[in-house]
Amino acid sequence: MGRRVIITGVPGVGKTTVVTGALKNLENEGVSYRTLNFGTYMFDVAQKEGVVRDRDEMRKLDKDIQKRLQKLAAQAIAKEEGNVIIDTHASIKTPAGYLAGLPEWVLRELMPDTVVLVETNEDQILLRRLSDETRTRDLEGSYGIAEHQQFNRAIAAAYSMFTGCSIKYITNADFLLDKAVEDMAAVLR
Ligand code: AMP
Ligand code: MG
């Protein structure tokens, strides 16, 4: 049975960068994982159905549509065997409020060993978002980012209650990417 590690963090915190670095460090130790992007599974379906053109439009969709896409993504990802990292969100900030990224029917499909929260100071996240032109990030101040990170810690506690998974906080601070990469490698090892 492979290991399932779920990696989460608010948009722009750098979770993809941290995971990529960790996997590169683990290559020569013979530790390997496939990275699956939850949002991409959802987007493939959403795009075929013609409900969105851009992945950043999905969180604005009607809540029930998001939940249907979410369930389909979880079912597809659950079929994947071996060691997998699932790149996703502990919660989604929608115009109607926070939506659980891993509600109980998603957790039951995925049954993770560990949920990682990649975090850093809200001002650093704000600046990282402003400099990323590849994505349509929501305009949000540091207060909103801090609140989102707080909500993610709270909801992650519920995820550990549902599944018995461990919850790991990893700080990805400015100029300390190496530290975050090493912490992530230790989770995956
Ligand atoms: P990302 O590329 O990780 O920022 O994900 C793109 C979009 O996919 C997010 O803004 C959400 O709309 C959606 N998404 C990703 N993971 C989940 C999830 N677990 N539950 C609901 N929506 C998700
Ligand atoms: Mg990403």
Side-chain angles (χ1 to χ4, degrees), residues 15 38-39 42 55 58-59 70 87-89 92 101 135:
K15 41 187 200 304
F38 198 103
M42 287 177 60
R55 64 195 286 125
M58 290 195 293
R59 60 182 172 270
Q70 184 184 50
D87 182 335
T88 186
H89 296 273
I92 318 302
R135 297 290 298 266

Side-chain angles (χ1 to χ4, degrees), residues 4-151:
R4 291 211 175 130
V5 177
I6 295 187
I7 164 147
T8 70
V10 298
V13 72
K15 41 187 200 304
T16 313
T17 310
V18 174
V19 167
T20 307
L23 289 178
K24 193 158 191 334
N25 285 3
L26 290 171
E27 256 170 30
N28 46 9
E29 293 177 35
V31 178
S32 73
Y33 283 77
R34 273 176 311 135
T35 304
L36 309 174
N37 190 296
F38 198 103
T40 301
Y41 277 79
M42 287 177 60
F43 183 54
D44 286 347
V45 176
Q47 205 177 20
K48 273 195 200 104
E49 292 184 355
V51 291
V52 293
R53 278 165 303 173
D54 183 271
R55 64 195 286 125
D56 286 311
E57 288 172 19
M58 290 195 293
R59 60 182 172 270
K60 319 282 185 204
L61 288 169
D62 177 84
K63 177 155 69 73
D64 293 328
I65 299 179
Q66 291 187 60
K67 283 159 68 181
R68 184 171 55 77
L69 295 169
Q70 184 184 50
K71 184 156 197 174
L72 290 172
Q75 287 166 345
I77 291 171
K79 295 200 179 83
E80 299 292 336
E81 286 170 16
N83 290 341
V84 291
I85 294 171
I86 302 157
D87 182 335
T88 186
H89 296 273
S91 73
I92 318 302
K93 201 170 219 172
T94 82
Y98 293 111
L99 191 71
L102 307 166
E104 112 354 87
W105 63 87
V106 168
L107 283 177
R108 213 183 305 135
E109 297 284 353
L110 301 183
M111 284 307 281
D113 295 287
T114 302
V115 173
V116 176
L117 278 74
V118 181
E119 305 174 326
T120 194
N121 172 278
E122 55 272 19
D123 296 321
Q124 295 181 357
I125 293 170
L126 187 70
L127 288 175
R128 290 176 197 176
R129 285 186 189 173
L130 289 172
S131 62
D132 178 1
E133 285 168 2
T134 67
R135 297 290 298 266
T136 314
R137 304 295 195 193
D138 295 324
L139 259 184
E140 191 181 21
S142 2
Y143 181 84
I145 296 171
E147 183 197 79
H148 194 180
Q149 292 199 115
Q150 252 164 33
F151 184 77

